[in-house]
């Protein structure tokens, strides 16, 4: 029950099939990494799980803790416990981080319930300290004029505040220098625990030195072609993806 | 369309105890009435009324507003919702002063004159006369300015002497009460050399559904080095017809910031002119318009650079939903010797509905050299990726759109200097959405 299950998922964007029969199960408490070359469909998988309107599921199923995820609107998915950390987070001009997060938390309360301001700010400041973010950040417009590192920290801050059951981190390491990467990784690691399942989407093995996964999967041409433990990441780093291509080719040929 | 009026000016109103008023204010009344009758109604082929809903300007249905009964008066005073702290507050109901409160010592300080205009016209005749309706109306509403002159009964005269700074904002409320009632609110502000002041006008209807007619004039005069923040909150009934004729005169090294928050009325036209008449002067012209239903907002502006080294910066933002319509026509004029002028004009329309319509007509007329000018108008809808980002955080679509809209308008609100005023305006915008 307590897992995110993807069964034979097919996804098209503008009539082109990008994800072609993907199977994966992410349990709560575990970190799964998906690696793969550019164009393998990794980011499409993240977007479609989030419910982006441009991505069309042509067949397959996605279940989150027993709930049919594909029947839910994007905002419902979030409130039910899914979190998507964007590779390229949007700017929301004129809306401060404090107001943005307050609206997101308010949406999780019942009708007539009001968010308690003191508790909210106490929690916000605590999570910001964790991510080494200055308090003045709360007054800045969401992602507007943020550096790459600030944007990614802001994504993890939101995850920390919204306490999802499943976090999908799409290329969270892209555009980060080593110091920023360490801070972001520390933030993610601090959130790890039995209640949270993480799907880490990345192109590079580097991130996995800091967020050590329980499982590593290789995605190519829209499906998982190879799965293994964390050592698989090192193998990929050493040998590149071509080796997997050959092996996957053999598998496909069998 | 009809220019005939159910209202007539009180031309014969000249009580013997106010002979001086009869002398010239009454004289102005008669002249205004003559001009009003002589000038033609706006025509849709008139360039200054292009795209305007001129067929909706039927004045024959409005009548002279009566003084409000005491019980209603108390109710309206109670409904005035301003800032937590202000220097003072005046309340008008149907162009009659019903309350004047002074809260801050600065306002009571020797030399600051803060009085209803009918009183100021008598007690401070010389200075009042020097400024009262002296600015030429150039953006199309000459006829309505004449009507205002004929009909004006009350409003605010604020005179801040040299070097005096009034820290807290001064607030003025104008209430319109009774179906079909008309109001002619007037604001005349004179800020002398190196003075500083903030004035907020609130225009509201007692009944949010009552038809009504408002025709107001604001004249702001800044002496050398003066600093003024002026805010007008137009929140008349959704069935009202509103004209607002605004002018700002900025002397050497003075700085004026004016903000029009347009929320109410069925048809509202606002004409705003900034005249930069001294070197080093600066004028920030801001407006936020929230248009919904079948509302029509027609905004016309002129940034008139008469002297070198002057700056004007206009930022107007409109949010349109349903079948609402907005019109913007703005001109930057830099006169031949007004070198080293900086003039900016930016209009942004956010369309929340396919049936809404935003018309923008920016314009430049540059006759000087070494001028930095830019102008631009854009219209767009909410960015899909931005919306998805908010949805992905669990914020439902209506709340997400509201947040994006508030953020869009916030860029204008943030230009105001006072935190309390910013919060007040944000609250009014949120309540209106």
């Amino acid at each position: 029950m307590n897992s995110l299950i993807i069964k034979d998922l097919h996804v098209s964007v503008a009539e082109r099939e990008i994800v072609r029969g993907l199977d994966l199960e992410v349990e709560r408490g575990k970190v799964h990494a998906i690696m793969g070359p550019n164009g393998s469909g990794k980011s499409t998988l993240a977007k479609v799980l989030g419910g982006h309107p441009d991505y069309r599921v042509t067949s397959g199923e996605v279940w989150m803790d027993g709930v049919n995820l594909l029947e839910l609107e994007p905002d419902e998915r979030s409130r039910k416990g899914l979190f998507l950390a964007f590779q390229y987070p949007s700017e929301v001009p004129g809306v401060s981080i404090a107001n943005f997060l307050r609206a997101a938390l308010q949406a999780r309360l019942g009708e007539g319930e009001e968010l308690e301001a003191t508790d909210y700010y106490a929690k916000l400041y605590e999570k910001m300290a964790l991510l080494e973010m200055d308090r003045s950040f709360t007054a800045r417009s969401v992602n507007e004029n943020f550096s790459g590192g600030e944007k990614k920290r802001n994504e993890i801050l939101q995850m920390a505040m919204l306490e999802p059951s499943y976090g999908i981190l799409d290329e969270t390491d892209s555009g980060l220098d080593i110091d920023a990467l360490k801070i972001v990784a520390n933030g993610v690691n601090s959130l790890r625990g039995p209640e949270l399942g993480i799907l880490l989407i990345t192109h590079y093995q580097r991130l996995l030195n800091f967020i050590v996964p329980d499982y590593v999967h290789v995605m190519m041409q829209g499906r998982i072609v190879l799965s293994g433990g964390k050592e698989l990441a090192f193998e990929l780093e050493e040998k590149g993806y071509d080796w997997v291509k050959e092996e996957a080719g053999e598998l496909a040929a069998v | 369309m009809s220019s005939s009026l159910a209202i007539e000016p009180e031309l014969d109103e000249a009580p013997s105890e106010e002979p001086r008023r009869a002398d010239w204010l009454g004289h102005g009344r008669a002249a205004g009435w003559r001009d009003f009758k002589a000038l033609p109604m706006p025509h849709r082929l008139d360039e200054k009324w292009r795209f305007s809903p001129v067929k909706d300007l039927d004045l024959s249905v409005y009548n002279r507003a009566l003084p409000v009964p005491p019980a209603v008066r108390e109710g309206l005073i109670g409904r005035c919702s301003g800032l937590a702290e202000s220097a003072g507050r005046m309340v008008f109901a149907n162009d009659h002063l019903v309350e004047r409160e002074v809260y801050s010592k600065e306002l009571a300080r020797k030399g600051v004159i803060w009085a209803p205009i009918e009183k100021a016209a008598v007690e401070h005749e010389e200075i009042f006369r020097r400024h009262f309706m002296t600015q030429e109306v150039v953006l199309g509403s000459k006829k309505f300015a004449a009507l205002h002159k004929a009909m004006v009964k009350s409003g605010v005269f604020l005179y801040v002497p040299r070097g005096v700074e009034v820290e807290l904002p001064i607030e003025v409320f104008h209430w319109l009460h009774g179906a079909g009632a008309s109001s002619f609110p007037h604001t005349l502000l004179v800020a002398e050399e190196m003075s500083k002041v903030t004035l907020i006008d609130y225009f509201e209807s007692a009944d949010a559904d009552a038809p009504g007619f408002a025709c107001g004039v604001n004249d702001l005069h800044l002496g050398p080095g003066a600093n003024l923040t002026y805010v007008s909150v137009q929140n008349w009934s959704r069935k009202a017809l509103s004209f607002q004729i605004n002018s700002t005169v900025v002397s050497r090294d003075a700085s004026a910031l004016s903000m029009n928050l347009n929320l109410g009325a069925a048809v509202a036209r606002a004409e705003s002119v900034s005249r930069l008449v001294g070197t080093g002067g600066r004028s920030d012209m801001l407006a936020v318009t929230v248009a919904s239903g079948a509302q029509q907002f027609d905004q016309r502006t002129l940034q008139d650079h008469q002297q070198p080294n002057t700056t004007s910066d206009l930022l107007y933002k409109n949010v349109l939903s349903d079948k609402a319509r907005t019109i913007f026509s703005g001109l930057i004029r830099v006169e031949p010797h007004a070198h080293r002028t900086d003039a900016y004009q930016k209009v942004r329309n956010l369309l929340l509905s396919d049936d809404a319509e935003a018309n923008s007509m920016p314009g430049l007329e540059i006759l000087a050299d070494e001028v930095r000018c830019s102008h631009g108008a854009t219209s767009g809808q909410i960015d899909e990726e931005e919306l998805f980002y908010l949805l992905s955080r669990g914020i439902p679509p209506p709340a997400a759109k509201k947040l994006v809209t508030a953020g869009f308008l916030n860029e204008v609100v943030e230009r105001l200097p006072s935190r309390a005023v910013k919060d007040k305006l944000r609250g009014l915008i949120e309540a209106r959405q």
Side-chain angles (χ1 to χ4, degrees):
Chain A
M1 251 317 250
N2 276 347
S3 57
L4 179 70
I5 302 169
I6 304 167
K7 287 184 189 166
D8 192 28
L9 189 68
H10 291 255
V11 182
S12 290
V13 185
E15 303 310 311
R16 198 167 144 249
E17 190 169 58
I18 308 288
V19 174
R20 305 164 178 180
L22 185 134
D23 290 282
L24 185 67
E25 178 171 356
V26 178
E27 310 84 353
R28 285 216 210 177
K30 300 290 182 197
V31 175
H32 288 247
I34 289 190
M35 301 184 70
N38 287 332
S40 57
K42 303 189 301 291
S43 281
T44 296
L45 176 65
K47 286 278 174 63
V48 84
L49 291 175
H52 193 290
D54 291 349
Y55 297 78
R56 199 162 52 87
V57 174
T58 51
S59 69
E61 296 169 28
V62 182
W63 297 87
M64 183 170 79
D65 294 347
V67 175
N68 184 348
L69 195 74
L70 300 180
E71 283 182 351
L72 302 178
E73 294 296 324
D75 56 315
E76 293 173 312
R77 296 180 192 199
S78 168
R79 293 196 299 274
K80 287 254 191 263
L82 188 80
F83 183 85
L84 175 58
F86 285 65
Q87 182 179 5
Y88 303 111
S90 284
E91 294 180 1
V92 191
V95 177
S96 68
I97 288 187
N99 283 346
F100 179 75
L101 273 170
R102 191 160 46 199
L105 287 168
Q106 183 68 46
R108 285 158 167 80
L109 300 178
E111 209 160 312
E113 280 182 84
E114 278 291 327
L115 199 65
E116 218 288 294
T118 321
D119 296 348
Y120 165 64
Y121 276 101
K123 185 174 168 184
L124 183 57
Y125 291 147
E126 181 202 319
K127 304 294 182 190
M128 287 175 78
L130 192 72
L131 288 155
E132 299 178 33
M133 294 167 93
D134 192 85
R135 285 187 181 189
S136 64
F137 229 80
T138 55
R140 289 177 62 183
S141 292
V142 176
N143 295 324
E144 205 177 27
N145 305 317
F146 279 24
S147 69
E150 286 172 334
K151 280 185 184 170
K152 296 301 166 76
R153 267 192 266 183
N154 185 30
E155 293 296 287
I156 304 307
L157 173 69
Q158 293 174 45
M159 184 161 97
M161 290 299 287
L162 299 178
E163 299 176 337
S165 309
Y166 300 94
I168 297 156
L169 278 53
D170 187 11
E171 307 273 4
T172 293
D173 50 332
S174 68
L176 295 187
D177 62 33
I178 191 73
D179 293 329
L181 181 64
K182 278 181 185 167
I183 293 168
V184 166
N186 280 343
V188 174
N189 286 329
S190 73
L191 299 176
R192 287 177 78 161
E195 293 305 313
L196 176 65
I198 292 178
L199 183 59
L200 215 53
I201 293 172
T202 182
H203 187 82
Y204 301 104
Q205 182 268 337
R206 187 180 70 151
L207 176 69
L208 307 185
N209 290 335
F210 299 98
I211 307 173
V212 180
D214 298 297
Y215 304 98
V216 174
H217 310 274
V218 181
M219 187 166 176
M220 277 181 179
Q221 292 163 0
R223 61 175 80 91
I224 304 290
V225 293
L226 191 63
S227 296
K230 62 186 175 210
E231 62 288 347
L232 181 54
F234 296 110
E235 221 171 327
L236 288 166
E237 178 74 0
E238 212 173 290
K239 302 189 199 167
Y241 287 110
D242 288 344
W243 150 75
V244 189
K245 260 181 215 161
E246 285 162 27
E247 201 142 295
E250 282 166 30
L251 283 173
V254 171
Chain B
M1 177 171 66
S2 167
S3 72
S4 68
L5 272 174
I7 32 180
E8 287 268 326
E10 295 171 4
L11 297 175
D12 52 353
E13 182 203 72
S16 53
E17 64 271 22
E18 286 180 54
R20 281 162 50 175
R21 176 180 169 184
D23 274 356
W24 76 274
L25 208 56
H27 201 73
R29 233 175 258 292
W33 186 241
R34 261 198 320 274
D35 289 346
F36 172 70
K37 284 194 290 190
L39 288 162
M41 277 300 271
H43 189 275
R44 64 181 179 83
L45 295 180
D46 183 344
E47 185 57 32
K48 286 170 181 163
W49 291 83
R50 200 168 162 216
F51 295 118
S52 285
V54 288
K55 63 177 177 7
D56 296 331
L57 308 180
D58 181 0
L59 304 183
S60 66
V61 297
Y62 305 106
N63 46 61
R64 172 169 288 281
L66 301 169
V68 296
V72 174
R73 196 166 68 201
E74 290 311 309
L76 293 178
I77 291 171
R79 282 169 62 187
C80 292
S81 156
L83 302 167
E85 276 191 306
S86 68
R89 165 171 115 158
M90 271 199 220
V91 182
F92 295 88
N94 287 357
D95 293 345
H96 290 80
L97 180 70
V98 295
E99 189 193 76
R100 179 179 179 276
E101 298 279 359
V102 173
Y103 304 122
S104 122
K105 284 190 197 119
E106 290 165 324
L107 196 54
R109 225 155 112 174
K110 199 170 173 233
V112 176
I113 302 165
W114 186 51
I117 61 164
E118 65 277 19
K119 196 162 173 252
V122 177
E123 293 175 8
H124 308 279
E125 181 178 340
E126 192 273 323
I127 190 157
F128 187 88
R129 254 181 115 156
R130 199 155 18 104
H131 297 98
F132 180 73
M133 295 199 76
T134 51
Q135 295 302 306
E136 196 191 345
V137 176
V138 293
L139 293 176
S141 282
K142 258 197 169 80
K143 185 177 177 76
F144 300 101
L147 178 64
H148 177 91
K149 200 169 179 179
M151 306 299 291
V152 64
K153 277 188 85 77
S154 197
V156 169
F157 177 66
L158 175 61
Y159 174 85
V160 188
R162 190 176 168 188
V164 171
E165 297 195 2
V166 184
E167 269 318 309
L168 288 171
I170 295 168
E171 295 182 296
V172 179
F173 294 83
H174 291 274
W175 289 95
L176 188 55
H177 176 262
S182 52
S183 175
F184 302 88
H186 195 93
T187 299
L188 177 55
L189 187 149
V190 180
E192 291 284 20
E193 188 168 352
M194 299 306 285
S195 66
K196 187 178 177 186
V197 69
T198 297
L199 179 69
I200 307 176
D201 273 333
Y202 300 89
F203 302 101
E204 308 205 40
S205 296
D207 176 353
D209 274 330
F213 173 56
C215 179
V217 170
N218 291 322
D219 282 329
L220 314 172
H221 297 262
L222 282 79
N227 185 304
L228 167 69
T229 302
Y230 174 75
V231 178
S232 103
V233 179
Q234 190 274 92
N235 200 13
W236 298 120
S237 116
R238 297 293 291 269
K239 289 186 181 155
L241 169 63
S242 166
F243 289 95
Q244 192 71 48
I245 300 160
N246 307 309
S247 107
T248 306
V249 180
V250 183
S251 306
R252 177 171 46 85
D253 297 328
S255 180
L257 183 146
S258 65
M259 158 72 134
N260 299 329
L261 176 58
N262 304 307
L263 304 173
V267 173
R269 177 165 169 122
E271 298 180 7
S272 302
V273 178
S274 272
R275 292 183 173 92
L276 296 138
V277 301
T279 57
R282 176 183 177 98
S283 181
D284 289 277
M285 301 168 75
L286 309 173
V288 162
T289 302
V290 183
S292 64
Q295 282 183 301
Q296 306 192 66
F297 291 92
D298 181 7
Q299 301 186 93
R300 313 268 161 167
T301 65
L302 172 63
Q303 296 154 261
D304 187 8
H305 292 260
Q306 302 181 4
Q307 292 296 328
N309 292 308
T310 49
T311 303
S312 69
D313 191 354
L314 178 146
L315 176 62
Y316 274 35
K317 284 199 172 185
N318 303 315
V319 173
L320 300 91
S321 51
D322 308 322
K323 292 183 172 177
R325 236 177 122 229
T326 60
I327 301 156
F328 171 84
S329 172
L331 179 67
I332 295 174
R333 188 165 68 209
V334 182
E335 297 191 5
H337 59 283
H339 304 299
R340 295 173 303 282
T341 283
D342 286 356
Y344 307 103
Q345 186 189 84
K346 196 162 100 172
V347 180
R348 296 280 179 270
N349 302 305
L350 180 63
L351 297 158
L352 300 178
S353 141
D354 292 339
D355 297 326
E357 179 190 318
N359 304 284
S360 305
M361 296 171 281
L364 292 175
E365 192 182 309
I366 299 174
L367 307 169
D369 306 319
E370 291 180 68
V371 168
R372 278 196 292 181
C373 271
S374 72
H375 69 163
T378 57
S379 295
Q381 294 167 333
I382 291 183
D383 179 68
E384 284 298 323
E385 291 299 322
E386 188 182 338
L387 186 63
F388 177 66
Y389 188 66
L390 276 89
L391 298 178
S392 78
R393 298 314 183 227
I395 303 169
K401 284 177 186 166
K402 212 171 151 171
L403 209 54
V404 170
T405 304
F408 170 76
L409 297 176
N410 207 23
E411 187 198 345
V412 190
V413 176
E414 279 296 332
R415 292 266 294 267
L416 286 154
S418 146
R419 173 77 189 267
V421 177
K422 282 192 252 195
D423 286 346
K424 174 73 192 165
L425 296 185
R426 278 194 277 261
L428 286 164
I429 291 166
E430 200 186 328
R432 175 59 176 71
Q433 281 186 292

